[in-house]
Amino acid sequence: VPLIAAQVPRRRLRSINQRTMADRVGLDEDEVSVGINPALGPDPEPEAETGPEAGPDISDVKSTIMEDKTCLSKKMEINVSEAEKRTGKNAMNMQEIYTVYLIETRPQDSQNDEDSSAPDSLWRRYSEFELLRNYLVVTYPCIVVPPLPEKRAEFVWHKLSADNMDPDFVERRRIGLENFLLRVASHSTLSCDPIFYLFLTQESGWKEAANETGFQAKVDSRLKALNATFRVKNPDQRFMELKHYGDELQSIISHLLRVRARVADRLYGVYKVHGNYGRVFSEWSAIEKEMGDGLQSAGHHMDVYAASIDDILEEEEHYADQLKEYLFFAEALRSVCRKHELQQYDLEMAALDLTSKKQQREELATGTVRTFSLKGMTSKLFGQETPEQREAKLNVLEEQIADGEELVKAKNLECDDFIKDAWADIERFKEQKNNDLKEALISYAVMQISMCKKGIQVWTNAKECFSKM
C-alpha cells in the first residue's frame, strides 16, 4: 500500500509513558521464551485443510501459551513503536486515509543476549484493536477488559486539534494502544488467550481464528440487556452498587477533565501574554543607556517563560490521558454488571417457567384449574380429556419439568461461578485503579509544583537583572 506521509514523530511524551507503564504492570525479565509453529506444512492432512493454505492451529497455540501460568508480559516485550498514515480502498471501494501502528514483540530472555535478533513486527489498524477487544469482552464476560484509547479527541482545549489524523493525537493514541496491549498481557487470564497471542505474532489469519470461535453470535443485543435491567426481580445488590459507582466515576472524571481543559486554556493565555513583557522590555532597552542591558536580559527571561507553556501542556496531556483511560474503564465495569443482570434474568425466567410447568402438572393431575385459562374454557365447552390423553400430557410435563430443573440448576451454577470470578477480577481492578489514579494525581501535582518553581526562577532572574541596572 503506498504511503502518503512520513512516520509520525515521537515526542518526549512517549518516554514518560513507558516509564510509567513499566512501573505499573511490573515488567521483569524472565527466562521463558515463547514460540509459535503455525500449521503451514507443504502437504497438510486433508482434515486440516481450510482453504488454499492452512491457518494457525489454535490448539497448538493454546498449549504453547499454557505451558506455564506466567503472564505474557513477563515472557515477551511488547511495544507499539511507530504510526504511519496510509491510503487505500475501504469496503465501499472508496479511497480513504487511515493510520496503522507497528507492533514489535521480542522474548524477554533475548534482551540479555549480546547477539539478540531484531524483534518481530507487524502493522495493525485501530479497527483491528477494536475487533480484538470485542472478542475479549464477549469471551471473558466476567473480566473488566482494559479499554482502548479514544477514537476521536475528547475534552480538548483550543490549541489541540480534534482531527483524528493530527500527529499529536495519533502519537497519544499510539501510547494508549501500547498501554492497552500491556494491560492485557499483564492480566493472568487475558494474557493466556490464543487469539491475543496470534494478534501479536501473526500478520494474517488471526481474524479468521477469532471468527471461528463464534464470539459474534454470543454478543448480547442492547435491547435484551435493557429488558433484563428493568425486568430482573432479584438483582445482586453488590452489582447494583458497582453499576452506580461506575456511573458516578464516569461523571466525576468527565467533570475533572472539563475543568482541566478550561484551566489549560487560561494558563496558556497567561503564559503567552508574558511574551508581551519581553517585547516591551526590548523596546524600552533601545531608548535607555544605563538601564538597557538589564531590560534586555529581563525581556529574554520573559520570552523563555512564555515559550515554556508548550512543553508543560504537552506533558500535562499525558496525565489527562491516564484519567481518560479510567473514564472508559467505567464502561467496562458497567459491561460486567449488565452481563450479570442478563444471567440473573435468564435464571429467573427459567425458574418461572419451571413453576408454571409444575402448576400445570398439578392442575392436570387433580382436574382443577386455579386461574383463568384457555384450557379451562375449552374443557367446559368440549368436555374433559380422556385418561389416556391426560396420562400422555402428564408424561410430557414430567419430562419438561425434569429438563427445567436441570436448566435451573445449571443457571444457578453459572450465576454462582460468574459472581465468584467477576468479583475476584473487580477486586483486582479496584487495587489497580487506586494505585494508578494515586500515581497520576501525585505526578500531576509534582508537575504543577515544578512549573511554579520555574516561574519563580524566571522572576528571580528578572529581579537580578533589574538590580544590576
Side-chain angles (χ1 to χ4, degrees):
V1 181
L3 303 184
I4 66 166
Q7 294 177 350
V8 176
R10 304 182 189 180
R11 296 180 177 270
R12 183 163 54 91
L13 198 60
R14 179 184 175 192
S15 62
I16 297 171
N17 180 75
Q18 288 176 331
R19 290 197 302 271
T20 304
M21 278 308 304
D23 295 336
R24 185 179 303 166
V25 301
L27 299 179
D28 57 8
E29 294 181 357
D30 201 2
E31 296 299 323
V32 183
S33 175
V34 179
I36 180 169
N37 296 317
L40 298 174
D43 297 312
E45 295 294 330
E47 61 272 16
E49 291 182 357
T50 58
E53 187 174 282
D57 192 333
I58 297 297
S59 59
D60 289 347
V61 175
K62 192 168 185 177
S63 62
T64 302
I65 299 174
M66 296 299 291
E67 286 178 357
D68 56 62
K69 299 296 183 180
T70 309
C71 293
L72 193 60
S73 62
K74 297 183 179 180
K75 299 185 288 187
M76 177 185 289
E77 179 189 7
I78 303 171
N79 296 303
V80 180
S81 57
E82 299 291 345
E84 283 186 2
K85 291 182 181 179
R86 294 183 178 178
T87 182
K89 292 186 177 181
N90 57 19
M92 303 295 293
N93 203 30
M94 297 176 64
Q95 202 77 3
E96 67 170 349
I97 301 171
Y98 58 91
T99 306
V100 291
Y101 301 89
L102 180 65
I103 301 176
E104 295 182 340
T105 57
R106 188 202 310 264
Q108 286 281 5
D109 58 354
S110 69
Q111 297 181 40
N112 298 325
D113 297 342
E114 294 182 0
D115 299 328
S116 60
S117 58
D120 295 328
S121 60
L122 45 81
W123 295 94
R124 296 281 186 231
R125 293 185 63 173
Y126 184 87
S127 58
E128 294 180 277
F129 283 88
E130 285 183 311
L131 178 62
L132 172 65
R133 187 178 184 278
N134 291 339
Y135 161 80
L136 294 175
V137 169
V138 173
T139 308
Y140 304 96
C142 59
I143 289 177
V144 184
V145 179
L148 292 170
E150 56 193 350
K151 193 167 187 177
R152 297 285 187 275
E154 299 178 15
F155 305 103
V156 298
W157 53 286
H158 80 279
K159 275 300 279 187
L160 290 182
S161 172
D163 181 13
N164 64 337
M165 289 295 176
D166 178 71
D168 290 337
F169 173 75
V170 170
E171 172 64 12
R172 292 197 307 276
R173 190 161 68 178
R174 179 197 64 77
I175 293 172
L177 292 174
E178 182 177 284
N179 188 5
F180 166 74
L181 293 181
L182 291 176
R183 292 274 196 204
V184 176
S186 61
H187 193 283
S188 58
T189 301
L190 299 179
S191 64
C192 297
D193 186 87
I195 301 299
F196 175 59
Y197 188 76
L198 292 177
F199 178 86
L200 296 174
T201 57
Q202 294 290 324
E203 184 73 39
S204 60
W206 80 273
K207 289 183 183 178
E208 292 76 8
N211 291 330
E212 286 174 2
T213 63
F215 82 95
Q216 292 177 331
K218 302 175 186 177
V219 178
D220 299 312
S221 68
R222 293 185 178 181
L223 183 61
K224 183 180 178 181
L226 187 65
N227 184 47
T229 299
F230 288 104
R231 296 186 63 183
V232 67
K233 297 179 180 179
N234 299 304
D236 190 304
Q237 191 61 31
R238 293 178 299 174
F239 283 92
M240 293 293 291
E241 293 174 356
L242 182 67
K243 188 176 181 181
H244 178 69
Y245 171 77
D247 294 337
E248 292 294 323
L249 179 65
Q250 187 175 45
S251 176
I252 289 172
I253 293 181
S254 296
H255 289 316
L256 188 61
L257 288 168
R258 289 191 186 97
V259 170
R260 180 258 157 192
R262 290 199 298 268
V263 170
D265 270 329
R266 297 192 179 186
L267 195 63
Y268 182 84
V270 169
Y271 267 71
K272 290 303 182 183
V273 166
H274 278 72
N276 293 331
Y277 278 131
R279 178 177 56 80
V280 171
F281 285 154
S282 179
E283 293 174 356
W284 191 1
S285 67
I287 64 173
E288 297 287 352
K289 293 183 179 179
E290 292 81 4
M291 298 170 55
D293 291 341
L295 291 171
Q296 185 72 29
S297 298
H300 171 71
H301 290 302
M302 292 298 105
D303 291 337
V304 171
Y305 183 71
S308 65
I309 190 61
D310 295 310
D311 289 338
I312 290 171
L313 292 182
E314 183 181 332
E315 182 178 350
E316 193 175 287
E317 282 300 316
H318 164 67
Y319 302 112
D321 287 340
Q322 288 183 339
L323 291 176
K324 287 179 184 179
E325 182 185 19
Y326 279 91
L327 179 72
F328 306 137
F329 255 127
E331 176 58 31
L333 275 179
R334 290 200 296 267
S335 175
V336 175
C337 295
R338 285 195 297 267
K339 186 62 180 179
H340 173 260
E341 288 174 347
L342 282 167
Q343 289 193 342
Q344 182 67 23
Y345 178 71
D346 289 342
L347 171 61
E348 292 179 3
M349 289 297 101
L352 185 63
D353 184 63
L354 177 61
T355 302
S356 175
K357 291 287 192 300
K358 288 182 177 180
Q359 182 178 339
Q360 291 178 33
R361 180 183 63 181
E362 183 180 350
E363 292 174 352
L364 196 60
T366 59
T368 59
V369 180
R370 295 183 179 180
T371 58
F372 174 80
S373 66
L374 181 62
K375 177 187 173 184
M377 291 295 295
T378 54
S379 297
K380 290 180 180 180
L381 291 173
F382 302 106
Q384 295 291 333
E385 298 170 325
T386 63
E388 292 79 9
Q389 290 175 326
R390 187 180 296 111
E391 185 67 24
K393 287 189 176 182
L394 278 172
N395 291 335
V396 172
L397 279 174
E398 289 292 348
E399 292 179 2
Q400 292 177 344
I401 289 172
D403 292 341
E405 288 175 343
E406 288 295 323
L407 179 61
V408 170
K409 183 179 178 181
K411 291 290 183 182
N412 264 314
L413 184 61
E414 183 181 356
C415 278
D416 291 342
D417 290 342
F418 180 90
I419 291 173
K420 178 183 176 182
D421 295 339
W423 211 252
D425 195 67
I426 288 167
E427 291 298 325
R428 174 204 61 80
F429 167 76
K430 287 180 178 178
E431 183 179 358
Q432 168 197 299
K433 171 187 66 71
N434 293 341
N435 292 335
D436 289 352
L437 292 180
K438 176 183 176 181
E439 175 190 338
L441 293 173
I442 290 176
S443 298
Y444 183 72
V446 169
M447 189 207 73
Q448 295 292 333
I449 293 170
S450 175
M451 178 181 68
C452 293
K453 286 181 177 179
K454 289 178 181 178
I456 292 173
Q457 186 61 47
V458 166
W459 281 106
T460 301
N461 294 337
K463 176 187 173 183
E464 292 177 357
C465 293
F466 297 149
S467 300
K468 294 177 182 178
M469 289 193 303

mmCIF file of all heavy atoms in Angstrom, residues 1 16 21 27 42 53 61 67 99 107 120 127-128 137 165 168 201 228 253 258-259 274 320 345 392 397 437:
data_model
loop_
_atom_site.group_PDB
_atom_site.id
_atom_site.type_symbol
_atom_site.label_atom_id
_atom_site.label_comp_id
_atom_site.label_asym_id
_atom_site.label_seq_id
_atom_site.Cartn_x
_atom_site.Cartn_y
_atom_site.Cartn_z
ATOM 1 N N VAL A 1 0.854 -1.182 0.000
ATOM 2 C CA VAL A 1 0.000 0.000 0.000
ATOM 3 C C VAL A 1 0.887 1.228 0.000
ATOM 4 O O VAL A 1 1.802 1.342 0.809
ATOM 5 C CB VAL A 1 -0.906 0.000 1.253
ATOM 6 C CG1 VAL A 1 -1.819 1.195 1.251
ATOM 7 C CG2 VAL A 1 -1.689 -1.286 1.307
ATOM 8 N N ILE A 16 7.894 9.324 28.894
ATOM 9 C CA ILE A 16 7.202 9.437 30.172
ATOM 10 C C ILE A 16 6.260 8.259 30.344
ATOM 11 O O ILE A 16 6.205 7.615 31.382
ATOM 12 C CB ILE A 16 6.409 10.759 30.240
ATOM 13 C CG1 ILE A 16 7.360 11.953 30.162
ATOM 14 C CG2 ILE A 16 5.576 10.838 31.521
ATOM 15 C CD1 ILE A 16 6.639 13.273 30.014
ATOM 16 N N MET A 21 4.316 2.973 32.577
ATOM 17 C CA MET A 21 3.732 1.659 32.349
ATOM 18 C C MET A 21 4.643 0.547 32.844
ATOM 19 O O MET A 21 4.179 -0.483 33.312
ATOM 20 C CB MET A 21 3.440 1.463 30.855
ATOM 21 C CG MET A 21 2.137 2.089 30.412
ATOM 22 S SD MET A 21 0.740 1.581 31.424
ATOM 23 C CE MET A 21 0.836 -0.197 31.250
ATOM 24 N N LEU A 27 6.836 -5.119 34.848
ATOM 25 C CA LEU A 27 7.579 -5.960 33.917
ATOM 26 C C LEU A 27 8.924 -6.348 34.518
ATOM 27 O O LEU A 27 9.614 -5.534 35.110
ATOM 28 C CB LEU A 27 7.806 -5.201 32.596
ATOM 29 C CG LEU A 27 6.541 -4.789 31.834
ATOM 30 C CD1 LEU A 27 6.925 -4.041 30.573
ATOM 31 C CD2 LEU A 27 5.737 -6.004 31.474
ATOM 32 N N PRO A 42 3.905 -28.249 3.789
ATOM 33 C CA PRO A 42 3.714 -28.320 2.334
ATOM 34 C C PRO A 42 2.632 -29.305 1.931
ATOM 35 O O PRO A 42 1.964 -29.126 0.946
ATOM 36 C CB PRO A 42 5.093 -28.740 1.808
ATOM 37 C CG PRO A 42 5.756 -29.401 2.984
ATOM 38 C CD PRO A 42 5.227 -28.700 4.205
ATOM 39 N N GLU A 53 -4.566 -22.475 1.934
ATOM 40 C CA GLU A 53 -3.435 -22.517 2.846
ATOM 41 C C GLU A 53 -3.978 -22.621 4.262
ATOM 42 O O GLU A 53 -4.871 -21.894 4.668
ATOM 43 C CB GLU A 53 -2.609 -21.237 2.702
ATOM 44 C CG GLU A 53 -1.320 -21.263 3.496
ATOM 45 C CD GLU A 53 -0.489 -20.033 3.204
ATOM 46 O OE1 GLU A 53 0.154 -20.017 2.151
ATOM 47 O OE2 GLU A 53 -0.479 -19.099 4.017
ATOM 48 N N VAL A 61 -1.358 -23.303 19.622
ATOM 49 C CA VAL A 61 -1.035 -22.012 20.224
ATOM 50 C C VAL A 61 -1.409 -22.019 21.695
ATOM 51 O O VAL A 61 -0.645 -21.574 22.558
ATOM 52 C CB VAL A 61 -1.773 -20.869 19.497
ATOM 53 C CG1 VAL A 61 -1.530 -19.543 20.188
ATOM 54 C CG2 VAL A 61 -1.331 -20.797 18.046
ATOM 55 N N GLU A 67 1.798 -23.546 28.816
ATOM 56 C CA GLU A 67 2.846 -24.374 29.390
ATOM 57 C C GLU A 67 3.148 -23.959 30.824
ATOM 58 O O GLU A 67 3.525 -24.760 31.655
ATOM 59 C CB GLU A 67 4.116 -24.282 28.530
ATOM 60 C CG GLU A 67 3.998 -25.056 27.228
ATOM 61 C CD GLU A 67 5.243 -24.909 26.375
ATOM 62 O OE1 GLU A 67 6.147 -24.159 26.785
ATOM 63 O OE2 GLU A 67 5.307 -25.524 25.312
ATOM 64 N N THR A 99 -4.643 5.238 9.588
ATOM 65 C CA THR A 99 -3.388 5.124 10.323
ATOM 66 C C THR A 99 -3.167 3.679 10.741
ATOM 67 O O THR A 99 -4.107 2.999 11.165
ATOM 68 C CB THR A 99 -3.410 6.018 11.578
ATOM 69 O OG1 THR A 99 -3.744 7.351 11.202
ATOM 70 C CG2 THR A 99 -2.054 6.023 12.266
ATOM 71 N N PRO A 107 11.010 -11.934 22.776
ATOM 72 C CA PRO A 107 11.081 -12.689 24.039
ATOM 73 C C PRO A 107 11.941 -11.957 25.064
ATOM 74 O O PRO A 107 12.964 -11.358 24.715
ATOM 75 C CB PRO A 107 11.695 -14.025 23.626
ATOM 76 C CG PRO A 107 11.393 -14.142 22.165
ATOM 77 C CD PRO A 107 11.410 -12.746 21.625
ATOM 78 N N ASP A 120 10.200 -9.225 16.255
ATOM 79 C CA ASP A 120 9.143 -9.490 15.277
ATOM 80 C C ASP A 120 8.219 -8.280 15.236
ATOM 81 O O ASP A 120 7.929 -7.668 16.263
ATOM 82 C CB ASP A 120 8.355 -10.737 15.683
ATOM 83 C CG ASP A 120 9.222 -11.987 15.641
ATOM 84 O OD1 ASP A 120 10.123 -12.037 14.793
ATOM 85 O OD2 ASP A 120 8.998 -12.891 16.463
ATOM 86 N N SER A 127 -9.091 -0.386 13.913
ATOM 87 C CA SER A 127 -10.265 -1.255 13.842
ATOM 88 C C SER A 127 -9.929 -2.689 14.238
ATOM 89 O O SER A 127 -10.785 -3.410 14.771
ATOM 90 C CB SER A 127 -10.855 -1.229 12.431
ATOM 91 O OG SER A 127 -9.884 -1.628 11.468
ATOM 92 N N GLU A 128 -8.681 -3.128 14.008
ATOM 93 C CA GLU A 128 -8.282 -4.467 14.414
ATOM 94 C C GLU A 128 -8.146 -4.564 15.931
ATOM 95 O O GLU A 128 -8.474 -5.592 16.536
ATOM 96 C CB GLU A 128 -6.969 -4.847 13.735
ATOM 97 C CG GLU A 128 -7.082 -4.996 12.229
ATOM 98 C CD GLU A 128 -5.777 -5.377 11.574
ATOM 99 O OE1 GLU A 128 -4.960 -4.466 11.317
ATOM 100 O OE2 GLU A 128 -5.555 -6.577 11.328
ATOM 101 N N VAL A 137 -14.143 -9.085 25.308
ATOM 102 C CA VAL A 137 -15.311 -8.746 26.124
ATOM 103 C C VAL A 137 -16.350 -9.864 26.077
ATOM 104 O O VAL A 137 -16.926 -10.239 27.102
ATOM 105 C CB VAL A 137 -15.930 -7.415 25.645
ATOM 106 C CG1 VAL A 137 -17.291 -7.182 26.280
ATOM 107 C CG2 VAL A 137 -15.010 -6.254 25.973
ATOM 108 N N MET A 165 -6.446 12.648 12.568
ATOM 109 C CA MET A 165 -5.218 12.458 11.805
ATOM 110 C C MET A 165 -4.113 13.410 12.260
ATOM 111 O O MET A 165 -3.020 13.393 11.701
ATOM 112 C CB MET A 165 -5.490 12.675 10.311
ATOM 113 C CG MET A 165 -6.302 11.561 9.681
ATOM 114 S SD MET A 165 -5.409 9.978 9.694
ATOM 115 C CE MET A 165 -6.664 8.901 9.002
ATOM 116 N N ASP A 168 -0.069 14.879 16.766
ATOM 117 C CA ASP A 168 -0.035 14.803 18.229
ATOM 118 C C ASP A 168 -1.087 13.832 18.753
ATOM 119 O O ASP A 168 -0.831 13.058 19.675
ATOM 120 C CB ASP A 168 -0.260 16.189 18.838
ATOM 121 C CG ASP A 168 0.931 17.114 18.615
ATOM 122 O OD1 ASP A 168 2.042 16.598 18.406
ATOM 123 O OD2 ASP A 168 0.746 18.346 18.626
ATOM 124 N N THR A 201 1.495 -11.895 17.005
ATOM 125 C CA THR A 201 2.582 -12.597 16.309
ATOM 126 C C THR A 201 2.279 -12.991 14.869
ATOM 127 O O THR A 201 3.202 -13.326 14.133
ATOM 128 C CB THR A 201 2.946 -13.876 17.087
ATOM 129 O OG1 THR A 201 1.773 -14.696 17.215
ATOM 130 C CG2 THR A 201 3.483 -13.532 18.472
ATOM 131 N N ALA A 228 -33.471 -6.842 30.451
ATOM 132 C CA ALA A 228 -33.047 -7.516 31.684
ATOM 133 C C ALA A 228 -32.883 -6.521 32.820
ATOM 134 O O ALA A 228 -33.208 -6.810 33.975
ATOM 135 C CB ALA A 228 -31.748 -8.277 31.439
ATOM 136 N N ILE A 253 -14.981 11.978 36.592
ATOM 137 C CA ILE A 253 -13.794 12.132 35.753
ATOM 138 C C ILE A 253 -14.100 13.045 34.563
ATOM 139 O O ILE A 253 -13.243 13.827 34.140
ATOM 140 C CB ILE A 253 -13.275 10.755 35.291
ATOM 141 C CG1 ILE A 253 -12.748 9.968 36.497
ATOM 142 C CG2 ILE A 253 -12.162 10.912 34.262
ATOM 143 C CD1 ILE A 253 -12.185 8.606 36.147
ATOM 144 N N ARG A 258 -13.043 18.319 32.081
ATOM 145 C CA ARG A 258 -13.532 19.607 31.578
ATOM 146 C C ARG A 258 -12.875 20.765 32.324
ATOM 147 O O ARG A 258 -12.490 21.774 31.707
ATOM 148 C CB ARG A 258 -15.052 19.675 31.722
ATOM 149 C CG ARG A 258 -15.809 18.760 30.767
ATOM 150 C CD ARG A 258 -17.294 19.059 30.780
ATOM 151 N NE ARG A 258 -18.029 18.088 29.973
ATOM 152 C CZ ARG A 258 -18.640 17.025 30.471
ATOM 153 N NH1 ARG A 258 -18.622 16.808 31.777
ATOM 154 N NH2 ARG A 258 -19.275 16.190 29.677
ATOM 155 N N VAL A 259 -12.763 20.632 33.641
ATOM 156 C CA VAL A 259 -12.093 21.673 34.428
ATOM 157 C C VAL A 259 -10.649 21.814 33.991
ATOM 158 O O VAL A 259 -10.136 22.933 33.801
ATOM 159 C CB VAL A 259 -12.172 21.342 35.937
ATOM 160 C CG1 VAL A 259 -11.275 22.279 36.740
ATOM 161 C CG2 VAL A 259 -13.605 21.435 36.423
ATOM 162 N N HIS A 274 2.769 36.840 28.774
ATOM 163 C CA HIS A 274 4.071 37.239 29.324
ATOM 164 C C HIS A 274 5.074 37.542 28.213
ATOM 165 O O HIS A 274 6.073 38.227 28.449
ATOM 166 C CB HIS A 274 4.627 36.152 30.249
ATOM 167 C CG HIS A 274 4.069 36.203 31.641
ATOM 168 N ND1 HIS A 274 2.778 35.840 31.943
ATOM 169 C CD2 HIS A 274 4.619 36.604 32.819
ATOM 170 C CE1 HIS A 274 2.558 35.984 33.233
ATOM 171 N NE2 HIS A 274 3.655 36.445 33.796
ATOM 172 N N ALA A 320 -3.767 13.674 31.549
ATOM 173 C CA ALA A 320 -5.174 13.706 31.133
ATOM 174 C C ALA A 320 -5.566 12.387 30.469
ATOM 175 O O ALA A 320 -6.674 11.867 30.685
ATOM 176 C CB ALA A 320 -5.416 14.875 30.178
ATOM 177 N N TYR A 345 -31.506 -12.601 34.921
ATOM 178 C CA TYR A 345 -32.804 -12.580 34.242
ATOM 179 C C TYR A 345 -33.115 -13.950 33.621
ATOM 180 O O TYR A 345 -34.243 -14.454 33.729
ATOM 181 C CB TYR A 345 -32.798 -11.490 33.169
ATOM 182 C CG TYR A 345 -34.065 -11.404 32.354
ATOM 183 C CD1 TYR A 345 -35.245 -10.919 32.908
ATOM 184 C CD2 TYR A 345 -34.082 -11.802 31.016
ATOM 185 C CE1 TYR A 345 -36.419 -10.836 32.164
ATOM 186 C CE2 TYR A 345 -35.235 -11.725 30.266
ATOM 187 C CZ TYR A 345 -36.403 -11.245 30.841
ATOM 188 O OH TYR A 345 -37.559 -11.172 30.095
ATOM 189 N N ALA A 392 -50.746 -38.979 28.780
ATOM 190 C CA ALA A 392 -49.714 -38.581 27.824
ATOM 191 C C ALA A 392 -49.204 -37.170 28.124
ATOM 192 O O ALA A 392 -47.991 -36.908 28.090
ATOM 193 C CB ALA A 392 -50.265 -38.661 26.403
ATOM 194 N N LEU A 397 -45.211 -33.386 30.518
ATOM 195 C CA LEU A 397 -44.902 -32.383 31.534
ATOM 196 C C LEU A 397 -43.804 -32.852 32.476
ATOM 197 O O LEU A 397 -42.945 -32.072 32.897
ATOM 198 C CB LEU A 397 -46.161 -32.040 32.335
ATOM 199 C CG LEU A 397 -47.130 -31.048 31.690
ATOM 200 C CD1 LEU A 397 -48.395 -30.921 32.522
ATOM 201 C CD2 LEU A 397 -46.466 -29.677 31.534
ATOM 202 N N LEU A 437 -4.521 5.848 39.791
ATOM 203 C CA LEU A 437 -5.011 7.213 39.958
ATOM 204 C C LEU A 437 -4.202 7.961 41.012
ATOM 205 O O LEU A 437 -3.950 9.173 40.870
ATOM 206 C CB LEU A 437 -6.494 7.197 40.334
ATOM 207 C CG LEU A 437 -7.437 6.715 39.217
ATOM 208 C CD1 LEU A 437 -8.881 6.737 39.683
ATOM 209 C CD2 LEU A 437 -7.274 7.552 37.959
#
